[in-house]
Structures are given as structure tokens and as C-alpha cells.
Amino acid sequence: MSARGNGVGLTILGRRPSAEDESSSSAGETDPGPDVLVIHILPKLWAGAAERDPVFRLPAGTADDADDGSGRGSRTLEVAIHEQQILALEPEWALSLAEVARDTLVDDPPLPSPGEGPQADGRAAETGDAETGDTGTGDVETGETDPLWREVPATAQIREAWRGEVPALPRRASDPADPVRFLWDLLSRLGCEPARGPEQREPTPGGVDLLPDLPGLEDLVHRQFLKDTERALLHRRPTFLPVTEELGFVRGRMDPQGLIRRTSRRRIPVLCEFDSLSADSLLWQTVRGAVQIAAAEAEDEEVRELALTCDAQLRDVTVEPAHVLLSRGMPGSELQRMPPETRWAYRYARAVLARRHGVDPEESPDMAGVLVNLKYVTSALWEHMVKDYLDRVLTPGGLEVEEQHRLAVFFTEQEVPDRGGEPRYDPVSLKKPDLVVMCPVKTGGHAPDAQGQALAVLDAKYKRLPWGGFAQASMGDQYQLATYAYRLEVPAFLAYPVTRAPSERDVESLVLGDPGATSRQATGPRRSRRLRVGAMALPFPHPAGRSLAQCRTDAEHVLGGGGLAGLIADLGG
């Protein structure tokens, strides 16, 4: 999976019965294996020595899978695998996963022949590595647009996995060092969102109950629900609702039983049945109940703000207890007459209410195929992390860190007669350095100008730190960094993740030779200030004791003082 190591996330599969399963079922045999497979894809940097085997298999199914304690109802198996590892799957699972797996990657060379063709009795899936090959194009990180899963031929080692001769993935266990919860907490804290693509499968209302209880996933469901609600509110109109109420005058139809009780009790009000135009319907009461849950539980500030905005637009709707809303339902014929956005908002609302209060969902998803498939680009996660570190060190001093700074490197030259023979230069192929440290330029009114002064460039590389430092980085990375340094005349560094505690010694600074200098000389006649390039190691959180807070503290020691901040100060930043 994640063949080039640039994708973490979650896949939930429903088993698609094979021919053998169907024949066993017709013979009355029962299969103790799971019906639902939950696979968490973790960063490759977290793979320990015992987990670095390239091929794994699923653990054997047992009758215990029928009650896994997750509350999701169906027989569920939950496992975790790391980027670039291969998972050997039996046909019933492979048939499901094939919906979102490719057998080739964009700008990816063909796989070397393993000497054996693909086997008909099963397949293997490999998880998306930014360090295998330097084939990226433009400013897209290698593997960024890859699918989360890639189908690979069944080799001898993969067939051994089906016979149980290779390690089995451990079942996910809930403990304080749970890497799955650690990952989703990290994604949530750094505000990461899943990548968009044809292979993405977000949870449907019927599949919400299958999601593990993780903070990032809760926000994902709430965000999708609130977006549907926001669209549905555009179509919100009052409707005629049946009302039964005692009035001092006759409206609509008098209730016969009410007339009998009125006479026996000698009461003046008349019990009437009539239709009243109102927006306070069961539909919007259900939606508002789920909106308030999202507002109270959302970890993401944007999700919470969206929930509060939707709730303000529903302030004329009665707040009913969840059990009352779930005990009532809207007829299917009425749902079909609604706009699609309103129907989806209502279905998501019931799913959110049911999940929050531990009620079995009324909708069951199609349990075959890919139920959920979410990829988070790990290079983007690492870029967000490095920016977070830089912000904490540099912004107190008035500096800014700009992501994906648009930088023109190449220009076309055109003669313009009305400019006195002065040519016009038009930029082509804009580049986007990951992170540029800027000093805002103050205008006369003391407001920052749109264009500030660049002070340094950092390119976040989600790859293992080369043992020889910058000199052992790929040639593409070296040329890229040298181009940024020459173009902006600032120091430029590659930032690599490490799971240990780095120090200031992990900042490597090399002098970049002057343009026009002889081939083996650093200095030349055209430049007075030395430009520097290099590589630095910054901490990547790890579930075994290296929290994001600890990494932030370690990064301040590397970047502050004599690190990048000191280098910027020495250069007059």
C-alpha cells in the first residue's frame, strides 16, 4: 500500500463473497471470519525493526470477531499497516479493494518482472514512497497523486503469506501508545484534510456507524454532514404540518372525541385539527439536533464555526431529545420528494444522532466493496508540521512563513514597440517552494505590503534523512534548492523528519558557489554575500513517547539560537 510512501489514512472493506464462499453458504457451512475489514495506514517512519518486513498477511479469523467490542454490529477485523508494506489478501478481500487500487502509478516505471505472472487465486496490495525514484513532475511531491493502494503481482513471498508463512498483522489494540489514535489526533491537530481523487470514498450515512471512534474521523463526518446541511438550508421552505390544538374558535375540522370531552367537562375551547404553515418540522428538528452535537464535539475550529452558523439559521426549530427524534421517522415517499441535499442532510443527521447515543443505525450500507477510503498526503502533513515549528520560532520576531510561495524562475522575452525598445518579460512555469520565511515590508501607513522580503527557503522532504546529508540527497532535490537560493538570494534548506530528538548539529550549512566562479572555487567576482544551502533534521512525532508538544520544544532548539533564526540574523534578516 502507499507504494511510494506518501499516503496515510483509512480503508474499510466489506467482504465480497468468492465462488468458494457462495458454495459453502449453499452447503450450510458458516465462516467465522470477519465481514468488515478496517485497515489503518500509518507513516513509514513508525515501522519498528520487527515491522519492516515487506509482506504481511491478515490474522486468521476467529469466532471472537463476531463481537469485537467496537459496537459496530457486524463482524469486524481492525488492523494497521505502514506505508510501502505489502498486504497479501485472499480473493474475497482483493475483489473489494480492486475498486480503488491501480496496477500502475502516474509517471511510475514498470515493475521489474518477478519471474512469475499474477496468480488467479488472489492478489496483493501495496501501500503509496517519495524516496523511491526521483520521477516527480513540477511541484507535486512524488507519490502525492498516487492512490492509497496499488495492485502488485503475486510473487512467491506473497503466496507464502497465504499459507501463513509470513508475519500476520497484529489486531489493533486500544492502549495508551495506540499508533492509530495517535495518527488521527495528529491529523486533527494540524488541520489536515483528505486528498481528493477518484479513489476517495467518504463515509455514507449508512456507513457512519462502521467508523472507529477517533477524533479526526468524527470531524470528518461532522464536516460532510454540515456541508450537506448548509446546501439544504438554501432550499428550506415552510410546509403545511398537521396540528391538533384546543382553540377558542373553530379552525379546520372539529375533533368528534374532543367535542364529547368538551361537553362532559363543560370546557369552552374546541379541539380542532388543521394544517399550519411552519418550518418547525421533524426533518429540521432532526437536523438541528445533529448540528448541536457537531458544535459541541468538533475539535476543528472551522467545523465548530460552521455548526454554530447552521444552528443560528435553525433557531426557529424546536430542540427535541434525541430519543424522541430517533423513535420517529419520515416516510420514504416523502424523503424521495425532497431535494437531494436535504435528503442527505436528514440521513446524515439521523446517523450522527444514532452514533452519538449508541443506537443501532436504521440504515445498513451495502456491505460489499469499499465502504470508506481516505488518503492523507504525508508530505503535506510534514509540510504543515514544519510550518508549525517555524511559526513558533520566527513569528514572535515579526517574521512570516508563507506556504507554497509562487516564484517565477523562467521568463519569456518579447519586444514591445511602445516601451521604447524595452523588452517585456512574462513568467512561465511558476515554482512553489514549500515554505518561505518573509519579512513584511511596511508602507507609509505602516501596513504590510503584499510583497515582503524573502529571508530563507525550507523545502519539506518526507523522506528518510540521507546518511551523507545534503550531498547524498537526490540530484533533483539539490538542483531545486540551489535554484531557490540563487533566485531569491537567500539560504535554502531541505527539512527531513526524524523520530529521535535532533540538535543544532543536525543543521548542515554548505556554501553555494558564486555564479561565474571557476569550476572548483566557491567565490567569484559577481557576488559579495555568501549563499548557503543544506539539510536539517526536524522531529516527527512518534506514538512511543514523542508527542507533538515535545517535538515542538525540540524543534525550537534546532531552529532558534544558532540555527536557522541565527543564520537569518547573521545575514541581516
Side-chain angles (χ1 to χ4, degrees):
M1 69 144 308
S2 196
R4 293 189 283 193
N6 197 3
V8 295
L10 169 72
T11 299
I12 301 180
L13 301 176
R15 183 168 58 173
R16 194 178 297 280
S18 62
E20 292 80 1
D21 290 333
E22 293 174 357
S23 60
S24 299
S25 177
S26 60
E29 300 177 10
T30 59
D31 182 3
D35 294 324
V36 176
L37 176 60
V38 179
I39 309 173
H40 298 275
I41 298 91
L42 305 178
K44 59 193 174 188
L45 300 177
W46 292 356
E51 300 170 312
R52 288 182 182 163
D53 291 290
V55 181
F56 288 86
R57 62 180 174 85
L58 293 176
T62 67
D64 293 337
D65 292 325
D67 183 14
D68 63 352
S70 66
R72 293 191 286 273
S74 56
R75 296 182 298 179
T76 302
L77 173 62
E78 194 170 356
V79 296
I81 191 172
H82 298 86
E83 295 168 306
Q84 293 184 276
Q85 292 177 338
I86 296 174
L87 180 59
L89 294 172
E90 297 293 346
E92 60 269 23
W93 294 118
L95 288 171
S96 296
L97 192 56
E99 297 177 19
V100 293
R102 296 189 210 149
D103 55 1
T104 58
L105 301 177
V106 177
D107 58 56
D108 184 43
L111 283 172
S113 173
E116 299 169 291
Q119 303 298 309
D121 58 346
R123 297 175 183 151
E126 183 182 28
T127 64
D129 179 286
E131 62 188 2
T132 58
D134 197 34
T135 57
T137 59
D139 293 294
V140 177
E141 292 287 345
T142 308
E144 181 177 335
T145 58
D146 289 348
L148 196 56
W149 295 92
R150 178 191 185 188
E151 187 177 333
V152 298
T155 62
Q157 187 178 16
I158 292 171
R159 290 203 307 277
E160 289 176 359
W162 297 327
R163 295 195 296 267
E165 297 175 9
V166 301
L169 289 175
R171 296 165 185 266
R172 182 194 167 202
S174 296
D175 56 56
D178 177 16
V180 169
R181 181 167 291 277
F182 190 89
L183 171 64
W184 285 99
D185 184 64
L186 194 63
L187 293 170
S188 179
R189 285 174 180 270
L190 293 172
C192 298
E193 294 190 8
R196 302 295 174 183
E199 295 84 11
Q200 180 184 1
R201 301 287 189 277
E202 291 190 344
T204 62
V208 166
D209 194 58
L210 295 173
L211 293 175
D213 183 17
L214 296 167
L217 290 179
E218 297 291 346
D219 276 353
L220 183 72
V221 172
H222 292 157
R223 183 181 291 109
Q224 183 61 42
F225 158 61
L226 292 169
K227 286 180 178 178
D228 284 328
T229 299
E230 195 174 33
R231 289 190 290 267
L233 285 169
L234 299 176
H235 303 280
R236 186 180 177 221
R237 301 288 186 275
T239 57
F240 283 102
L241 302 176
V243 178
T244 301
E245 186 178 350
E246 285 189 337
L247 301 173
F249 54 91
V250 176
R251 181 181 179 185
R253 186 177 75 89
M254 292 185 292
D255 181 69
Q257 295 296 324
L259 288 175
I260 297 174
R261 289 195 297 271
R262 176 175 178 267
T263 303
S264 63
R265 297 174 184 176
R266 298 182 180 181
R267 292 174 53 84
I268 296 177
V270 181
L271 186 64
C272 299
E273 296 176 349
F274 55 92
D275 291 337
S276 176
L277 193 64
S278 173
D280 190 10
S281 63
L282 173 63
L283 162 66
W284 295 110
Q285 290 171 4
T286 304
V287 170
R288 189 180 189 191
V291 164
Q292 292 187 337
I293 290 176
E297 298 184 353
E299 298 283 342
D300 186 89
E301 186 63 33
E302 181 183 349
V303 174
R304 187 182 302 111
E305 186 67 29
L306 181 56
L308 292 173
T309 300
C310 292
D311 188 57
Q313 296 180 62
L314 294 168
R315 58 184 178 274
D316 58 336
V317 174
T318 305
V319 177
E320 295 283 357
H323 71 275
V324 173
L325 297 172
L326 292 172
S327 65
R328 300 156 61 192
M330 301 189 64
S333 58
E334 189 173 344
L335 286 173
Q336 291 304 316
R337 292 195 299 269
M338 293 179 183
E341 298 86 354
T342 306
R343 184 166 59 249
W344 276 94
Y346 173 73
R347 293 174 60 196
Y348 264 116
R350 288 192 66 90
V352 169
L353 288 169
R355 180 176 173 87
R356 172 64 176 79
H357 294 279
V359 179
D360 288 337
E362 62 180 10
E363 298 187 56
S364 295
D366 179 6
M367 298 300 289
V370 179
L371 307 178
V372 176
N373 192 56
L374 301 172
K375 173 188 174 179
Y376 290 77
V377 179
T378 331
S379 60
L381 167 64
W382 174 233
E383 182 181 320
H384 290 330
M385 209 176 296
V386 175
K387 183 181 186 301
D388 178 84
Y389 297 157
L390 290 171
D391 283 339
R392 291 173 177 275
V393 173
L394 301 177
T395 54
L399 303 182
E400 296 178 355
V401 181
E402 185 177 334
E403 282 189 276
Q404 299 294 308
H405 177 84
R406 296 171 66 83
L407 175 65
V409 177
F410 307 109
F411 299 81
T412 59
E413 183 179 22
Q414 297 182 10
E415 297 293 337
V416 182
D418 59 355
R419 296 181 62 177
E422 202 175 301
R424 185 183 70 196
Y425 299 98
D426 296 321
V428 296
S429 183
L430 291 175
K431 304 302 177 186
K432 297 179 182 178
D434 288 344
L435 301 164
V436 178
V437 180
M438 307 286 291
C439 179
V441 176
K442 301 291 185 179
T443 62
H446 301 289
D449 191 10
Q451 294 292 328
Q453 177 190 358
L455 300 178
V457 173
L458 265 79
D459 218 51
K461 296 297 179 184
Y462 181 65
K463 308 176 182 180
R464 298 190 188 278
L465 179 67
W467 64 269
F470 181 78
Q472 294 299 319
S474 71
M475 292 304 297
D477 290 345
Q478 293 185 39
Y479 293 150
Q480 181 185 36
L481 212 66
T483 300
Y484 294 157
Y486 277 136
R487 178 69 180 85
L488 294 173
E489 293 192 314
V490 296
F493 293 89
L494 300 174
Y496 291 95
V498 293
T499 54
R500 56 175 172 80
S503 66
E504 291 184 13
R505 292 193 298 268
D506 286 307
V507 179
E508 177 192 26
S509 178
L510 305 176
V511 173
L512 185 61
D514 290 345
T518 58
S519 299
R520 301 180 65 85
Q521 296 294 319
T523 59
R526 302 184 187 178
R527 194 179 304 275
S528 60
R529 190 175 76 176
R530 302 279 74 81
L531 293 180
R532 293 185 176 273
V533 296
M536 64 175 64
L538 292 174
F540 192 91
H542 194 284
R546 296 203 59 76
S547 66
L548 179 60
Q550 179 62 52
C551 288
R552 285 168 171 165
T553 301
D554 292 340
E556 289 179 11
H557 294 319
V558 175
L559 296 171
L564 182 66
L567 184 59
I568 291 174
D570 292 342
L571 294 173

